[in-house]
Amino acid sequence: QKMLAWQRTSFHFQPKKNWMNDPNGPLYYKGWYHLFYQYNPEAAVWGNIVWGHAVSKDLIHWQHLPVAMVADQWYDINGVWTGSATFLPNGDLIMLYTGSTNELVQVQNLAYPADPSDPLLKKWIKYEGNPVLIPPPGIGLKDFRDPTTAWTTPEGKWRITIGSKINKTGISLVYDTIDFKKFELLKGALHGVPGTGMWECVDFYPVSKIVENGLDTSENGPAVKHVLKSSLDDDRNDYYALGTYDAGAGKWVPDNPIIDVGIGLRYDYGNFYASKTFYDQEKKRRVLWAWIKETDSEAADICRGWASLQSIPRTIKYDKKTGSNIITWPVAEVENLRSNNNEFNKVVVKPGSIVPLEVGSATQLDIMAEFEIDQNVLKKVDGSNATYDCIKSGGSGERGALGPFGLLVLTDNSLSEQTPIYFYIAKDLTGNFNTFFCNDLTRSSEATDVRKLIYGSTVPVLQGEKLSLRTLVDHSIVESFAQNGRTAITSRVYPTKAIYENAKIYLFNNATDISVTATIKIWQMNSANIKSN
Ligand code: FRU
């Protein structure tokens, strides 16, 4: 099997070998983007967790650096777990992270750069007074982890939030501090949602209702909404909600309780977990990273010698057009890897047909596609499938009047391995349309040790908008975005035949009653430049 070498990606971040999970403390410092990450230096399975470290000038090309923090103190000897960075007004940088102690208790620790003049921030000092926080009364000793970046309070203090749970209610505790050494627990929580279980990797940040750029974590005011995100330990997905932050009380309330954190919207409807954002002060944007896990067997991970990827970093913004969701989109720098543009203009795909798109090897691609449908035909077709659900559906092979149609990526010549990414339009009896965006992995691999789910959700489509999708294909990962990033789906894919020059791309239309007209741009993607330490 040559160590499953074709599964290695070419422009997604991954260590040379071994296990990785959450992104930690992402930041921009003296000309360099830094990514720290949960890393097992000894094996391709979780354990022995330390902070891996790499730097980049552009979030695409990386230089690996030595491990930044190891498990060498009683308060983190069982793992240097997830944490976040905060810049102080004088430019100093501090890191708060969770340690798993000699007794497996989760505590919060403070660390700072040993040499702030080193732009690579290679050496970190752990504060001699660690831990700075231990689980408060009433909180489980193993339910207290992943401190956020701090923001300022109206009183001029710093404030952080830390995920936890009480019984089955996921909560986020709030602490104020002046020096990151002594903390004061606020009464109640920033927010809590019954039934959602342990909240991991909570993230909390402002987004602007007006301007395009991202906001630094302490910004607030009438033109600002606050996003609260939690990674649900029980469900293994990242859920967020938009809401209003009351700085005085240290509380946040969702705009719409029906789609509260953990029961409503997700950043991504595929494989996307333990995400973290940071404010990029250089480009004035908020950037999102996430851990993309393996969905094959542990035996395959060990055989390959590595496990997990980071998502393509994405900018994150409030969706002014809908007002009810955020949009995530690959950072612009990704486009610098594009070469060899292939364009396919107004390709008509009839009901029940497939059209090959000749682009050569289709393992490293950036694809932008638009689909047009004759509105008169749409209006005339009877609707009866308003209850469509990607996950519970029969997938891309199940034909409806108005879908599915879209792309087949990582597909071999015989179509026996294929990864469809598609829209499905449902119409209810009153004539209202509801559009779904899905990714069907059921035929994505002939390997038997792979989980092959169907992912997806609805995507808002506003009056006059064409259906559009963007997909990044990178050997064993496919990241797809509908309607400019309103809905995203990331999947790990393990083809056995659709690899190297045998990987192809097709258009398909399995709708029975509509033709779609597709206009597509496909770029071959160069590989990112990765330097070992
Ligand atoms: C999320 C998580 C965090 C924890 C870390 C340990 O994937 O479980 O809650 O800090 O990973 O590696």
Side-chain angles (χ1 to χ4, degrees), residues 37 70 78 86 102 127 152 260 267 292 310 374 392 407 464:
Y37 53 90
V70 297
N78 279 301
T86 300
N102 52 356
Y127 168 55
T152 49
D260 204 342
Y267 279 163
I292 313 301
Q310 296 294 327
D374 187 327
K392 293 187 194 133
L407 299 171

Side-chain angles (χ1 to χ4, degrees), residues 433-453:
F433 294 105
N434 196 4
T435 305
F436 295 83
F437 184 55
C438 327
N439 183 358
D440 177 358
L441 302 184
T442 51
R443 283 176 287 176
S444 61
S445 173
E446 291 193 352
T448 52
D449 67 334
V450 171
R451 235 169 309 145
K452 298 165 194 168
L453 301 174

